Amino acid sequence: MALHHSSITVGTTPTLLTTVPGGVPYTQVSIYNGDNSNIFLGDATVSTSGVNQGIQAVKSTVTQLWLEANDQLYAISAAGTSAN
């Protein structure tokens, strides 16, 4: 099992967090939101409200998602820039 981690700053436009390589089985991704602002997780069209509102990752919590091969996970912040 390979464990990869990184710190990514998320702004008010969708920011790519990770891409699951082709041929890889379901992959669990854990997102820790260490900022004071909530972020929203989803695809490249993720937004903080409306039809494309993503999954909310509340500050100081871990959000876990399962992704499939070739999936890309994006995040967006509702309040300026969030360092996560």
Side-chain angles (χ1 to χ4, degrees), residues 4-83:
H4 301 278
H5 61 86
S6 59
S7 178
I8 300 170
T9 300
V10 175
T12 56
T13 59
T15 302
L16 180 64
L17 300 182
T18 190
T19 300
V20 178
V24 174
Y26 280 116
T27 301
Q28 183 179 15
V29 177
S30 298
I31 306 296
Y32 175 72
N33 181 2
D35 197 71
N36 286 327
S37 301
N38 295 336
I39 60 173
F40 295 83
L41 308 170
D43 64 13
T45 64
V46 67
S47 66
T48 59
S49 63
V51 175
N52 293 326
Q53 182 174 350
I55 298 167
Q56 189 172 11
V58 180
K59 68 178 185 173
S60 301
T61 63
V62 175
T63 301
Q64 296 180 332
L65 303 170
W66 285 90
L67 303 178
E68 296 183 31
N70 300 311
D71 279 350
Q72 293 184 318
L73 180 63
Y74 287 80
I76 189 168
S77 173
T81 301
S82 297

